[in-house]
Amino acid sequence: MRKLLRLLGLAQGNCLNCEKPAVGEEFLCEDCLREPKPQHPMEYTHIPYVFSYRVFGRYEGAIKSLILNAKFENNPYTARFLGKLVKDYLWQYIDEIQPDIITFPELNLRRFWLRGFNQVEEILKGAEVPYQRIFERKGFDPPMARLGSQERLKAVQSHQVKKPWLYALEDKKILVVDDVLTTGQTMSYLCQLLLSLGARETHAFFIARSV
């Protein structure tokens, strides 16, 4: 598979993080493969409307390299590989909170057209986690990373719940998965939206927290 991905331009022979030779079919070298480990407990700050949340690691090193490659090199395979790395920790949290629905934020239309996939959806596929796409997003806002606090809040508010789900969230416990926790505004808004539609509890899981 790795050889095929190289031919398609979706993989390279060197580690995405440090440029050393990658191990077999992986995207990282032997040293960097040992790096991504759960860093819980870490310092958690309150996110409004979120009952509880977990973060796998910090947005640095191998985790950051994999996320950046997936998002800005348009490579769904690195996202799925990342899903395999966080799989056990994510499932541990799922078993703990027992959500009725697992979902994720949607990309804006421009970003989805350019990338061709949602990196969080691919992470969930790699982790073998069943999910539902309950959100949709309007508008063509630039990437969140480029936005200030007020602009980010405005962009977040372009999310809405799809019509078939408007009356299907009553008394449901919902887990929202995202890749990077920065300000928490996106997750807070989504969870507020879900609670306003009758959700019983809202929880969150992030692959990494910005440092």
Side-chain angles (χ1 to χ4, degrees), residues 36 38 56 79-95 123-129 205 207:
F56 178 81
R80 292 194 187 189
F81 177 71
L82 184 54
K84 292 178 182 178
L85 293 180
V86 306
K87 177 180 177 179
D88 290 345
Y89 188 63
L90 174 52
W91 271 105
Q92 178 184 332
Y93 186 51
I94 291 171
D95 290 340
I123 289 170
L124 290 173
K125 289 178 181 178
E128 300 181 63
V129 172
F205 183 92
I207 304 303

Side-chain angles (χ1 to χ4, degrees), residues 117-130:
F117 63 92
N118 185 311
Q119 74 279 359
V120 181
E121 181 178 17
E122 298 302 321
I123 289 170
L124 290 173
K125 289 178 181 178
E128 300 181 63
V129 172

Side-chain angles (χ1 to χ4, degrees), residues 52 90-103 124 129-132 171-177 194 200-205:
S52 74
L90 174 52
W91 271 105
Q92 178 184 332
Y93 186 51
I94 291 171
D95 290 340
E96 177 184 328
I97 64 172
Q98 294 289 308
D100 300 300
I101 299 171
I102 300 173
T103 190
L124 290 173
V129 172
Y131 60 85
Q132 302 288 340
D171 203 37
K172 294 293 191 294
K173 186 184 294 186
I174 304 173
L175 171 62
V176 185
V177 179
L194 296 171
R200 175 162 46 96
E201 294 180 14
T202 51
H203 302 264
F205 183 92

Side-chain angles (χ1 to χ4, degrees), residues 23 25 55 68-69 111 116 137 142 151 163 173 175-176:
V23 175
E25 300 292 316
V55 180
L68 289 176
N69 185 266
R111 178 57 58 185
R137 194 167 168 195
E151 293 172 316
K163 287 184 179 179
K173 186 184 294 186
L175 171 62
V176 185

Side-chain angles (χ1 to χ4, degrees), residues 18-114:
C18 70
E19 296 296 322
K20 292 179 181 178
V23 175
E25 300 292 316
E26 314 295 356
F27 291 90
L28 301 174
C29 69
E30 187 174 347
D31 290 335
C32 291
L33 272 173
R34 289 195 291 263
E35 180 187 311
K37 295 180 181 178
Q39 297 187 21
H40 178 72
M42 65 169 63
E43 182 181 351
Y44 282 76
T45 56
H46 174 65
I47 302 176
Y49 305 105
V50 178
F51 283 57
S52 74
Y53 70 95
R54 291 286 182 276
V55 180
F56 178 81
R58 302 186 186 282
Y59 188 54
E60 60 188 5
I63 293 177
K64 181 177 181 179
S65 295
L66 289 168
I67 292 174
L68 289 176
N69 185 266
K71 294 171 72 169
F72 299 110
E73 298 297 329
N74 301 333
N75 191 346
Y77 298 99
T78 48
R80 292 194 187 189
F81 177 71
L82 184 54
K84 292 178 182 178
L85 293 180
V86 306
K87 177 180 177 179
D88 290 345
Y89 188 63
L90 174 52
W91 271 105
Q92 178 184 332
Y93 186 51
I94 291 171
D95 290 340
E96 177 184 328
I97 64 172
Q98 294 289 308
D100 300 300
I101 299 171
I102 300 173
T103 190
F104 53 90
E106 291 290 346
L107 302 177
N108 68 44
L109 294 176
R110 175 172 55 185
R111 178 57 58 185
F112 187 79
W113 290 340
L114 290 173

